[in-house]
Amino acid sequence: MGELFRRIYYLLHRRKLEQELQSDMAAHREMLGEEHRKDFGNALLLQEQSHEAWGWSWLDRFFQDLRYGFRMLRKNPGFTLVALLALGLGIGVNTALFSVVYGVLLKPLPYAQGQELVVLRQQFTKANRDDVRFSVKEINDYRTQNHSLAQIEEYHGMGFILLDGQEPERVRTGVVSAHFFEMMGLKPYLGRFFTEADDTPGAEAVLLLSYPYWKQHYGGDRSIVGRHFRMNDKIHTVIGVLPPVPQYPQENDVYMPTVACPHRSSEMMKEDRDGHMMLVFGRLRSGESVQSGARDMSLIASRLQPEYPKSYPVTNGFTATLDSLQNRLTKDVRPYLLVLLGTAGLVLLIACANVANLALARMMRREQELAVRAAMGASRGRLVRQLLTESTLLSVAGGALGLWLASASLHPLVSFAERFTTRAAEVTISMPVLLFTLVISVLTGLAFGSIPAFSQRMDLVNSLKEGTNTTTEMSARLRLRNLLAMAQVAISFMLLIGAGLMIRSFIRLQQVNGGYNGDRVLSAVIPLMNNKYSLGLMEMNEPAIKNFYSQVVQKLEATPGIEGVALNSGAPLAPNGPQRAQFAIDGRPQLEGDRLETDIQTATPDAFKLLGVPLIAGRAFAPQDNVDAPPVALISRGFVRQFFPNTDPLGQHISFKNDDKKHHFQIVGVVGDVNQYGLDKDPVNTVYVPFEQSPTAAATLMVRTSGDPMKYVKQLRAAVYSVDRDQPLTNIKSLDQLRGDNLAGTRLTSVLLGLFAMLALAIAATGLSGVTALLVSQRTREIGIRLALGAQRGQVLRMVLTQGMRVILIGLACGLAAALLTARVMQTFLFKTEATDPLTFAGVALVLLAVALIASYIPARRVTRVDPMIALRTE
Amino acid sequence: MAKNEMLPGTLGMLILRVLQPGALHGYAIAQRIHTLSNDLLQVEEGSLYPALQRMLLKGWVKADWGVSETNRKVRFYRLTAAGRKQLQSEMSDFDRVMQGIAAVLAKA
């Protein structure tokens, strides 16, 4: 113990102790007298040994190396700047991506024992539906029959209108069963959570507010508990506020128990086994794993299937399973992040190779300095340590620059991830991220530093003899440099392929026209929630709804600058869309277990013209198709292909299972297919019914304008407010914006990969330039001789370029092989593009060749300026 | 091997031993070792200092400022309690080794 303290004391008072030691030794030598002085030994060496005894010499040496390193970097500002930039960019992209990967994929859920939380999932494997929600009946079945879950809670998201005496506002509402938040392991920030009594039919309606909603709308007013709000024409009492943690599966403004949701608590919903509306969450019993839980779920499903063959036809292949909540939340973003992180890793690798190459070139010039130090007694280990200290110093400085770049570029990355996962909000430059940056910085420094450090052969004599580098060592070093340049070309090629494939896929996707024309069309969802639009709990007040919408349409039609107005169930590519319904075709016997499903859209006659959806056969809707006329329907082309492959659909009748009016709709026409759900997703079979005959209370209003559609938002609002002052509009977007949102994931991935590839290409190009430049400067004399003997300058230039070209071509070949092997991981992101798309490969190879040629041509041009006389005289 | 070189590892013990009677400065330590060994042991005098540094760190000796015979300010090293214990244990270790060696030499 005492020794440790003394050691630290020695560290802190080194200067004074050293003086004391020196004075002691000097006195000793004085007393020895002139003739015995040699008995004392080598004073300097002894002093060094004494320091060694203190145990801090490694620190001294480290600081010495550091100071020396600083001096070397300052003396070579060009090298330092290029290396810093390359390393900063390389480390920066890795830090930024790692912070996203950490926040989204790695960080544990901010909930107690988050690893026990699971999400249940039903599947109709043979109908390609692997994520079916749950009906009330099913939730009860899983709750009573499972053995692996300690708790099962349900969730579904709604949008309700909240009235608190101010502006009516549509709030994102999470509807949950009583113990949902307890299961998540949360504690209320204010008040209390729901209880069993709150979630019993007939209970007084209660409400929880999310922390951000409470902060933003009520300024964190703690007296909020006990306040009353009007929602769904009922008084709801606020009983508490949620803690400020991320909310899964979605961020909501308010939460209510299941009995308070008019939809969920309706008799119809409670009795309908096929009303798949809810998400189901669970907490595993201790000792149960996700696998054993999944087995339990599929066992229950296999029991339910034979019991209810109507709901689970054998042909659909019904089963159930569960996933851990963490995996489920990040499932969509994981492949993107991993590919981007891999790409960033490659960028860093190129930066490493490039800086190693620069350092190697610099080594050649430092040969003598190092040889002198070695001659004066520095061991090989000491010199290697010196060089590694220098490179690590450089890379840690690069890391600091990278950290700054990462924090500056984090925002666009987070908004990228937001498209795929709610966890994006949890991304920050946190402690683990800082640690990651430090570790990769140091590793990078050691990696690129060790190449020149260990290639250093201690050939003292030759190095000391100025100017006569042995040719074998030179060529070994040159080979190493060529290898590094090849690696840069190869990796650049891989990155360019990744970017090229993504961009090609993006262009393909952009060329999909979607089956409609969305130019200058503005859309908005107008959900009629107010009591005056419904009769009782579930029935719509159709006259009131039709009246409201037709007034709005009339107002807009009279507005100058608006060329067309229409209503339907959902604009193409909008997040809210048509409903799915089971149907039957009249006169066609339905086999047991045969389940026909289609999308069903409500549309006004003008909707098709406004969207440019072509009429292919029969007639379009007409104003005469009203309540008093026989019900009619239009079907999409895909619908014809699937259900009327050999018959004429016109004049046939179809009916819908959930249609309480039991209408039989006559098919009067066929319209074109529309990519309703995504440009990369095939159009879905759709039946269109006229708005006048089958109105909806949540119609999408669309207007075609004569100019920029976003300039008409005000007119749109004004038209709605003039009819009903309390009616909100949501999702106000132009169809171009909706299309842009749909393309955003692919576009952002293309942009990021493209950016990385450009970075890599730029770094590799400077690397190639450097290799050629060195080649030229080393062969100046030889070139001089050639020129003196009558070689043409063009010939010499070609000779140098050919030599550079060899490096490029070998690198290209290696890159090609590696890209063919690894491009497959990209396939999931690609739209109608093969991962081995020959056109992309050829194009990328050409671009890379061109850049490489230019990069080597610039320094190679110097040979044409070599003056043979001067070249021969040097050395 | 020069005839007068010391057995490795014994210098520390010798220093501790010559300091046992009282504090000495570096030069005096070297002289004492010379004289007491009848000039048989020739220490490279400077090597005292790394050894002394080690012992200071271990806490076996302490250094105090004093004035030498030549009127110079020098440090006098003196044994601490821990140093005394160390000397005892080193001496008994050394004794055992010597007995062992002597026994082999005598009987072989």
Side-chain angles (χ1 to χ4, degrees):
Chain A
M1 222 27 218
E3 188 181 334
L4 183 68
F5 281 124
R6 270 191 294 276
R7 255 180 215 281
I8 292 166
Y9 176 83
Y10 274 58
L11 174 66
L12 298 175
H13 298 86
R14 260 179 314 172
R15 192 105 347 126
K16 178 177 141 235
L17 290 163
E18 193 159 325
Q19 276 167 9
E20 290 176 1
L21 180 66
Q22 263 170 12
S23 103
D24 263 13
M25 286 167 83
H28 191 139
R29 297 204 306 173
E30 228 166 72
M31 288 188 261
L32 271 175
E34 207 56 62
E35 70 272 30
H36 292 295
R37 187 150 297 173
K38 69 171 172 39
D39 291 350
F40 191 79
N42 182 343
L44 217 59
L45 193 64
L46 287 165
Q47 212 172 315
E48 190 95 350
Q49 282 170 6
S50 305
H51 292 171
E52 207 83 50
W54 298 347
W56 294 107
S57 18
W58 60 269
L59 197 69
D60 288 333
R61 273 200 295 269
F62 176 67
F63 278 115
Q64 212 176 5
D65 286 350
L66 218 54
R67 268 196 304 275
Y68 189 74
F70 264 121
R71 212 156 42 201
M72 289 309 290
L73 294 180
R74 252 211 328 269
K75 259 172 55 187
N76 292 283
F79 165 78
T80 308
L81 199 72
V82 172
L84 262 186
L85 215 60
L87 292 171
L89 288 170
I91 295 173
V93 294
N94 278 279
T95 300
L97 272 167
F98 181 77
S99 53
V100 178
V101 167
Y102 178 76
V104 171
L105 299 183
L106 301 179
K107 195 161 81 175
L109 295 180
Y111 292 163
Q113 273 90 47
Q115 73 283 356
E116 290 174 2
L117 294 172
V118 292
V119 189
L120 277 57
R121 181 155 68 100
Q122 301 190 108
Q123 293 170 298
F124 289 119
T125 49
K126 289 181 190 154
N128 278 328
R129 295 180 60 199
D130 62 352
D131 194 359
V132 179
R133 292 188 172 208
F134 291 76
S135 65
V136 180
K137 287 238 175 255
E138 286 165 338
I139 294 171
N140 288 335
D141 288 337
Y142 289 99
R143 200 171 264 155
T144 50
Q145 295 185 28
N146 87 82
H147 300 290
S148 54
L149 299 174
Q151 217 175 328
I152 283 187
E153 304 295 333
E154 60 165 277
Y155 167 94
H156 71 274
M158 298 293 288
F160 290 128
I161 291 166
L162 186 143
L163 293 161
D164 67 340
Q166 301 162 24
E167 295 258 299
E169 197 195 4
R170 189 180 157 92
V171 288
R172 297 170 299 171
T173 309
V175 181
V176 297
S177 48
H179 301 297
F180 184 82
F181 297 112
E182 277 107 332
M183 183 181 74
M184 293 291 186
L186 298 180
K187 298 258 178 309
Y189 185 81
L190 274 186
R192 62 174 178 87
F193 287 153
F194 302 129
T195 59
E196 211 68 67
D198 293 325
D199 201 15
T200 309
E204 252 183 72
V206 289
L207 216 52
L208 282 168
L209 303 190
S210 79
Y211 184 86
Y213 185 77
W214 172 60
K215 275 281 179 197
Q216 275 162 27
H217 286 72
Y218 300 98
D221 175 10
R222 301 181 77 88
S223 68
I224 190 80
V225 177
R227 282 272 290 272
H228 302 295
F229 295 139
R230 248 162 58 87
M231 267 173 107
N232 303 320
D233 299 296
K234 261 192 289 183
I235 301 294
H236 289 64
T237 310
V238 176
I239 56 166
V241 174
L242 288 176
V245 294
Q247 302 160 45
Y248 307 127
Q250 268 160 343
E251 298 287 323
N252 282 305
D253 300 320
V254 304
Y255 285 87
M256 58 171 55
T258 61
V259 293
C261 170
H263 208 52
R264 161 70 175 76
S265 58
S266 71
E267 279 312 307
M268 195 180 102
M269 197 67 207
K270 284 196 277 194
E271 291 309 314
D272 182 11
R273 178 164 287 279
D274 300 337
H276 298 137
M277 182 171 77
M278 271 67 73
L279 293 174
V280 176
F281 294 80
R283 187 180 274 284
L284 291 168
R285 273 181 209 282
S286 62
E288 296 284 346
S289 67
V290 170
Q291 288 79 17
S292 65
R295 272 197 302 277
D296 193 18
M297 293 306 117
S298 76
L299 198 70
I300 297 171
S302 67
R303 272 203 299 269
L304 292 179
Q305 194 278 322
E307 210 173 323
Y308 308 100
K310 276 230 162 60
S311 295
Y312 316 113
V314 182
T315 48
N316 276 352
F318 176 69
T319 182
T321 183
L322 52 76
D323 313 301
S324 85
L325 177 61
Q326 173 137 13
N327 280 346
R328 181 59 173 278
L329 289 171
T330 57
K331 192 180 66 184
D332 296 334
V333 78
R334 180 187 303 264
Y336 284 99
L337 288 185
L338 293 184
V339 161
L340 285 175
L341 190 64
T343 315
L346 289 180
V347 173
L348 185 57
L349 216 55
I350 286 200
C352 247
N354 190 22
V355 179
N357 222 340
L358 287 174
L360 265 177
R362 210 165 57 110
M363 264 329 250
M364 299 189 180
R365 265 170 261 139
R366 284 178 71 181
E367 206 100 279
Q368 285 188 20
E369 168 216 328
L370 293 170
V372 168
R373 294 191 60 190
M376 288 177 56
S379 66
R380 186 189 158 113
R382 184 67 210 280
L383 286 186
V384 166
R385 199 158 53 208
Q386 162 72 50
L387 291 171
L388 287 182
T389 308
E390 270 180 57
S391 63
T392 312
L393 180 66
L394 193 59
S395 69
V396 169
L401 178 66
L403 205 57
W404 177 75
L405 285 173
S407 58
S409 62
L410 204 57
H411 182 70
L413 265 181
V414 168
S415 48
F416 168 73
E418 261 168 6
R419 300 186 172 276
F420 305 100
T421 176
T422 49
R423 293 206 80 192
E426 296 170 60
V427 173
T428 52
I429 300 219
S430 54
M431 210 51 211
V433 174
L434 290 176
L435 209 65
F436 170 85
T437 309
L438 185 67
V439 168
I440 63 164
S441 299
V442 171
L443 284 182
T444 303
L446 294 179
F448 81 75
S450 58
I451 293 174
F454 288 104
S455 79
Q456 181 62 25
R457 275 201 272 134
M458 291 293 166
D459 193 351
L460 280 184
V461 184
N462 275 324
S463 302
L464 281 173
K465 279 197 247 153
E466 199 165 337
T468 54
N469 281 312
T470 54
T471 43
T472 47
E473 188 178 340
M474 283 304 287
S475 68
R477 186 83 51 78
L478 207 61
R479 237 190 339 265
L480 197 57
R481 294 205 57 186
N482 283 343
L483 216 64
L484 286 170
M486 274 177 216
Q488 292 181 55
V489 173
I491 299 172
S492 305
F493 185 80
M494 290 171 68
L495 290 175
L496 283 168
I497 286 291
L501 288 172
M502 208 63 217
I503 290 168
R504 196 160 154 71
S505 165
F506 176 63
I507 292 170
R508 284 256 160 92
L509 201 55
Q510 218 174 12
Q511 281 165 352
V512 174
N513 85 355
Y516 67 97
N517 171 14
D519 289 348
R520 296 179 283 116
V521 176
L522 182 64
S523 75
V525 179
I526 306 176
L528 306 183
M529 298 281 189
N530 199 295
N531 228 13
K532 60 188 163 200
Y533 300 113
S534 58
L535 305 168
L537 258 180
M538 284 314 290
E539 204 183 333
M540 295 188 287
N541 182 350
E542 290 195 6
I545 291 171
K546 282 195 255 182
N547 182 42
F548 167 82
Y549 284 124
S550 74
Q551 280 191 54
V552 172
V553 169
Q554 273 168 25
K555 278 255 155 48
L556 286 168
E557 275 170 343
T559 307
I562 287 181
E563 297 172 355
V565 186
L567 296 166
N568 72 0
S569 319
L573 307 181
N576 60 303
Q579 295 190 323
R580 278 193 83 70
Q582 286 185 49
F583 70 97
I585 300 168
D586 287 6
R588 204 175 279 194
Q590 198 168 1
L591 302 167
E592 179 67 22
D594 201 13
R595 192 179 154 115
L596 301 180
E597 271 195 356
T598 178
D599 269 15
I600 178 161
Q601 275 250 27
T602 285
T604 55
D606 291 338
F608 302 94
K609 201 179 93 218
L610 186 124
L611 286 173
V613 177
L615 180 72
I616 290 163
R619 69 167 178 91
F621 291 148
Q624 300 84 272
D625 296 320
N626 56 24
V627 217
D628 307 319
V632 292
L634 295 173
I635 55 178
S636 66
R637 194 206 291 256
F639 193 97
V640 178
R641 217 172 289 136
Q642 188 174 351
F643 298 111
F644 299 102
N646 305 312
T647 43
D648 183 6
L650 298 184
Q652 307 256 16
H653 287 82
I654 55 175
S655 59
F656 294 98
K657 188 187 159 198
N658 284 349
D659 179 12
D660 22 332
K661 291 179 202 140
K662 302 286 170 222
H663 279 323
H664 287 256
F665 294 84
Q666 188 189 20
I667 298 171
V668 294
V670 178
V671 293
D673 284 325
V674 173
N675 290 68
Q676 183 74 30
Y677 299 102
L679 293 171
D680 56 342
K681 294 190 178 71
D682 291 331
V684 173
N685 299 334
T686 308
V687 173
Y688 296 89
V689 293
F691 186 82
E692 276 299 315
Q693 293 179 345
S694 311
T696 164
T700 294
L701 181 64
M702 296 179 294
V703 294
R704 185 179 292 274
T705 62
S706 58
D708 176 7
M710 294 319 282
K711 293 217 173 96
Y712 289 85
V713 172
K714 222 168 66 200
Q715 280 93 319
L716 206 64
R717 283 185 196 281
V720 170
Y721 293 151
S722 73
V723 180
D724 183 345
R725 210 172 42 81
D726 291 341
Q727 178 56 48
L729 292 84
T730 65
N731 295 36
I732 304 177
K733 282 195 165 162
S734 74
L735 294 203
D736 282 342
Q737 281 176 339
L738 289 172
R739 193 182 160 91
D741 290 352
N742 191 253
L743 287 168
T746 315
R747 189 180 55 227
L748 279 165
T749 315
S750 306
V751 167
L752 285 175
L753 285 182
L755 208 68
F756 289 172
M758 292 319 287
L759 258 178
L761 191 61
I763 296 173
T766 62
L768 285 173
S769 271
V771 170
T772 316
L774 190 78
L775 201 74
V776 172
S777 71
Q778 270 168 352
R779 296 176 65 177
T780 307
R781 198 148 72 127
E782 176 207 329
I783 290 163
I785 294 171
R786 280 174 189 270
L787 289 173
L789 290 175
Q792 294 294 309
R793 285 178 192 272
Q795 271 177 321
V796 177
L797 179 65
R798 214 166 313 133
M799 181 190 80
V800 172
L801 279 182
T802 315
Q803 201 150 31
M805 225 43 213
R806 224 174 29 218
V807 171
I808 296 165
L809 285 177
I810 298 175
L812 208 62
C814 296
L816 182 73
L820 281 174
L821 286 174
T822 54
R824 224 165 294 279
V825 301
M826 299 274 305
Q827 193 66 69
T828 43
F829 317 130
L830 298 180
F831 172 73
K832 291 196 178 156
T833 307
E834 279 299 307
T836 52
D837 182 45
L839 200 68
T840 307
F841 273 67
V844 163
L846 276 180
V847 168
L848 190 56
L849 266 181
V851 170
L853 252 179
I854 295 168
S856 23
Y857 177 74
I858 295 168
R861 228 177 20 185
R862 281 217 316 257
V863 299
T864 62
R865 289 196 298 267
V866 170
D867 180 339
M869 286 320 288
I870 294 174
L872 288 174
R873 259 189 240 123
T874 45
E875 298 182 8
Chain B
M1 199 179 179
K3 62 176 167 77
N4 291 335
E5 249 174 56
M6 310 231 317
L7 277 171
T10 48
L11 177 62
M13 182 171 65
L14 295 187
I15 295 174
L16 290 174
R17 181 62 187 85
V18 298
L19 286 178
Q20 206 177 18
L24 294 172
H25 55 71
Y27 178 74
I29 295 172
Q31 293 316 306
R32 287 288 287 168
I33 294 175
H34 275 287
T35 348
L36 290 173
S37 73
N38 302 325
D39 285 344
L40 279 175
L41 291 178
Q42 194 75 47
V43 187
E44 190 192 53
E45 301 198 6
S47 59
L48 280 181
Y49 291 92
L52 278 169
Q53 290 304 320
R54 253 187 300 279
M55 287 190 266
L56 277 169
L57 201 63
K58 293 274 183 207
W60 297 335
V61 297
K62 274 204 146 50
D64 308 297
W65 287 106
V67 178
S68 73
E69 303 81 342
T70 53
N71 244 341
R72 247 198 94 123
K73 229 182 116 194
V74 289
R75 282 192 293 183
F76 283 76
Y77 299 91
R78 68 178 159 80
L79 226 48
T80 62
R84 269 174 230 287
K85 244 169 79 185
Q86 177 67 16
L87 177 61
Q88 286 311 315
S89 92
E90 278 192 33
M91 275 167 65
S92 64
D93 283 353
F94 184 74
D95 266 351
R96 258 200 314 262
V97 173
M98 285 307 282
Q99 276 168 22
I101 293 172
V104 173
L105 291 180
K107 291 176 189 160

